[in-house]
Amino acid sequence: QVQLVESGGGLVQAGGSLRLSCAASGRTFSTWNMGWFRQAPGKDRDFVAAIRWSGGTTYYADSVKGRFAISRDNAKNTVYLQMNSLKPEDAAVYYCAAGQNYPMSLLSTEDGYDYWGQGTQVTVSS
């Protein structure tokens, strides 16, 4: 069982930055792939970024490439999402997710994850 707790959300002006954190319970954090998804009101939950268990490979949605960066600290059981140059369309509830070592093709889908956090709200003012 893995429990995930996100933090770091808030209100930011367009062009600003935020860093989200996701603290995971459990001693096997280093063996889990980690991902970030987001859901805006009235929309589906969308993939944002993922990082393999080893930390050596990352994946991003086209909409955030070059602006967001995912990283992990296995010693702290924490995954981060650094968000720069934020746009109003980035506003959403951001969810952290943990998954076993599923095929790479699943990392951008909800099927690639077994556990989800409660989410943290990100609001971007124009």
Side-chain angles (χ1 to χ4, degrees):
Q1 188 77 9
V2 176
Q3 291 186 324
L4 305 171
V5 179
E6 302 98 334
S7 62
L11 173 65
V12 64
Q13 287 188 330
S17 299
L18 281 176
R19 188 175 82 154
L20 305 182
S21 299
C22 173
S25 65
R27 294 176 292 176
T28 59
F29 174 78
S30 62
T31 66
W32 294 84
N33 296 324
M34 301 297 296
W36 286 96
F37 287 71
R38 65 187 182 187
Q39 187 170 24
K43 296 187 176 181
D44 293 334
R45 187 155 58 183
D46 292 329
F47 169 74
V48 175
I51 186 166
R52 298 284 275 184
W53 63 271
S54 63
T57 308
T58 57
Y59 310 92
Y60 297 94
D62 288 343
S63 59
V64 306
K65 279 181 182 176
R67 299 188 298 122
F68 290 13
I70 188 171
S71 62
R72 66 190 296 161
D73 185 338
N74 287 343
K76 295 182 178 180
N77 280 15
T78 302
V79 63
Y80 304 97
L81 184 67
Q82 177 67 43
M83 305 186 295
N84 300 324
S85 302
L86 282 160
K87 305 175 181 180
E89 52 265 42
D90 293 319
V93 176
Y94 282 70
Y95 296 92
C96 173
Q100 299 177 62
N101 197 21
Y102 294 115
M104 184 174 66
S105 60
L106 292 183
L107 285 185
S108 61
T109 74
E110 295 190 19
D111 289 339
Y113 301 91
D114 303 291
Y115 300 99
W116 295 83
Q118 294 297 309
T120 185
Q121 178 72 51
V122 172
T123 304
V124 184
S125 63
S126 57

